[in-house]
Amino acid sequence: MAPQLDGFFKQVDTLSDHFIDRLRKAVAIPSISAEEARRPDVVRMGEWLADELTALGAEVEKRPLGKQPGKEHLDLPPVVIARYGNDKNKRTILVYGHYDVQPAGMEDGWATEPFELTIDSKDRMYGRGSTDDKGPVLGWLNAIEAHQKAGVDFPVNLLCCFEGMEEYGSEGLDDFIKAEAKNYFKDADAVCISDNYWLGTEKPCLTYGLRGCSYYSVEVSGPGQDLHSGVFGGTAQEPMTDLVRILASLVDTNGKIQIPGLAELVAPLTEDEKSLYGDIAFSMDMLHESLGSTTSIHPDKERTLMGRWRYPSLSVHGVEGAFSQPGAKTVIPAKVIGKFSIRTVPNMEPEDVDRLVFKYVEEQFNKLGSKNKMNCTLQHAGKWWVASPKHWNFSAASKAAERVWGVKPDLTREGGRQ
Amino acid sequence: MAPQLDGFFKQVDTLSDHFIDRLRKAVAIPSISAEEARRPDVVRMGEWLADELTALGAEVEKRPLGKQPGKEHLDLPPVVIARYGNDKNKRTILVYGHYDVQPAGMEDGWATEPFELTIDSKDRMYGRGSTDDKGPVLGWLNAIEAHQKAGVDFPVNLLCCFEGMEEYGSEGLDDFIKAEAKNYFKDADAVCISDNYWLGTEKPCLTYGLRGCSYYSVEVSGPGQDLHSGVFGGTAQEPMTDLVRILASLVDTNGKIQIPGLAELVAPLTEDEKSLYGDIAFSMDMLHESLGSTTSIHPDKERTLMGRWRYPSLSVHGVEGAFSQPGAKTVIPAKVIGKFSIRTVPNMEPEDVDRLVFKYVEEQFNKLGSKNKMNCTLQHAGKWWVASPKHWNFSAASKAAERVWGVKPDLTREGGRQ
């Protein structure tokens, strides 16, 4: 299979210490996007990445994204974009990744220094960002370098889009991509996002779908300020009483959403789609291991994967404005805001979901006969995405993965990333 | 009425600047019991109070209460106890008050510096602790001093018990009182707690009852750690889903507790008791003003006062372990703890309340058919108290209040202080 690539793969092996060293340098930069004081490190990481790409012969630009919304004293780190190759006879692949990381410290339970790449006795590498997402980003640089050193022509043109705010909501990226879709990125024939999960630890996956997310707030308010339950308990209608009743009406223990009309928006399961689930390397044991419990909804693998990928779900996340600390406080909160979200799937249009949610929550509140005020709003909506797993980009990725891993990758979806 | 006291009352007027100055000195000591760094100020306040009492001729002791539970590096402030007078022919009154205060700062919305006594154009005094509870405590010192300067014999023996941790759960006081009930406090014929509220702003009140409080936690847990709702939503049973369903089953919008058997524990309303409510200086307007809204449960004054004083109430205070910040977070919390409390009244024995609550919550959880774990526990219980408003101590207090205020005080209960 693909003998013309033997030289390339040999170079990969030869260069492995160099590649690990490249990852070590990247891990050592604490590019934590959520921490204001680390912003210079995020910028430094972007510059380092741009320099590495330039050294490999890519045309690189660091594009400013302006000020950080809500923190206008802070510049967003630049998005590093690059082009490698400009051959009209080749396909052009747009590669996405991010060079920022989440916070990490020994006090969070790390066994090794998070910003120091550490290799254990089984050759497993530990370091913040080594998998999410510095490793995958550097994989593209390594691929370019190994092609060059093997004297093998790079088979596609690459466009790179590496951002520095992914772990903090990808601030500024949407506008940038919209603006450049028909400009810098106009040649892209396919997109490859190097920032996904495997289902387990043994078999690679190619992701062809993603659930969306519609996130709602339900605010119930009454009194002008928080009250003491000793003084006012039994005389005033309490917003928290109303809110828990509304939240309790949304979904049952087995995940069945109680909002009428929502299930009807979901695309029916075809025999063709159904046949995809059986072969996937996943088991209830794997689910229970990742849950850390056996509190699963469904008894079998197929229905569990469908529950994660192709059916909607509703989660109640918490309550803002109520007592949330350890211990006891006898407060009657004056205004409480329940938070819940719905994972959406084809063919649920976000606007239809909103309409059904608002109508149902309103009805539930009206049933209570409360004098309190209720207001249900959408915080944000991200739409689901699904592609055909038979498209040429998936075929190519599947072949490549099989060449390296010796096994056909699973074609999977994701439950939702936001 | 009581002409032998005219000299005393004259002295009160003469000494008023001196009394205000005494309060000013007390307010200036930021004796905040909840703030570790202020502990030396709490101790200083106790010492100042002890010195003032000693100067008036009382026998004073500062009793240590040991280390603060959970903060063993911190000494509790002393309880200041004192005896003034030891005449076997007089009754002995035990007076309780506290010399600590809650935190306060301009940033909390104070219009004036909280630790500086400020007098406005209507002679109203502002300063942290001026009413709760430094003013009432100093009132006893002022009464002693005015008697002395008027040459009027003090009509009772006084025992004082002034603590420094009231605003932080009265840590250490229970054990101290139990130990001294038959020792230092053994001569007490009646107790006067100088730390109560008036119902409104025009008419003094004498309190003859207090609701109790039984505070519960309901913990629901399942997964081994918090989960991401994108990845696990629709595959795992969510503790928060179960918890809001349990919390929703406890009480309705109009405060009706749904726990069977609880209402049967409540002492029936007698005609005698019913007759007490009509005259009390309270109105629905006063309730609405203190609520800051018109979201009251009952339409009339009598039923509202009963709802506050002589019937139980149930409040849901909040949820620990769930997402409680502003904004959006798509977490499935692994373990959530709902907090609720019941205000108890005669004749609800706390043990009976516990039994009914545990049974009901267990039943509600079992109905869900959940694989999650649920555990309902009592955090703390404080028993209700009720006395006869016809006892001589209330008659005496009533006469005294009428002499000063020109109006018979209302005989009230309190809804609960904890």
Side-chain angles (χ1 to χ4, degrees), chain B residues 21 37 116 119 126 171 228 234 251 254 270 278 309 320 333 373 386:
Chain B
D21 193 53
E116 197 174 290
I119 306 179
Y126 297 87
E171 298 270 24
H228 188 286
V251 64
N254 284 316
T270 63
W309 295 344
E320 177 186 343
K373 287 203 192 83
V386 72

Side-chain angles (χ1 to χ4, degrees), chain A residues 249-297:
Chain A
S249 73
L250 298 171
V251 63
D252 74 11
T253 292
N254 284 315
K256 188 168 161 31
I257 301 175
Q258 308 289 304
I259 301 167
L262 216 64
E264 286 70 24
L265 300 176
V266 178
L269 180 67
T270 61
E271 284 305 312
D272 201 30
E273 186 196 330
K274 204 172 172 182
S275 70
L276 292 174
Y277 291 90
D279 285 342
I280 289 171
F282 188 76
S283 68
M284 292 307 286
D285 285 346
M286 282 165 67
L287 174 69
H288 293 155
E289 194 185 327
S290 57
L291 282 180
S293 72
T294 57
T295 53
S296 49
I297 293 176

Side-chain angles (χ1 to χ4, degrees), chain A residues 139-195:
Chain A
W140 291 101
L141 279 66
N142 297 343
I144 294 172
E145 186 168 1
H147 276 89
Q148 289 175 349
K149 296 223 162 126
V152 177
D153 187 38
F154 206 71
V156 295
N157 303 313
L158 274 191
L159 285 172
C160 298
C161 177
F162 298 141
E163 66 159 325
M165 285 299 283
E166 197 272 349
E167 302 291 5
Y168 200 79
S170 290
E171 299 269 23
L173 191 71
D174 278 11
D175 290 344
F176 173 77
I177 288 177
K178 276 178 201 151
E180 295 298 341
K182 309 228 153 142
N183 293 298
Y184 195 88
F185 300 135
K186 70 173 189 305
D187 295 335
D189 294 304
V191 177
C192 181
I193 294 177
S194 292
D195 186 24

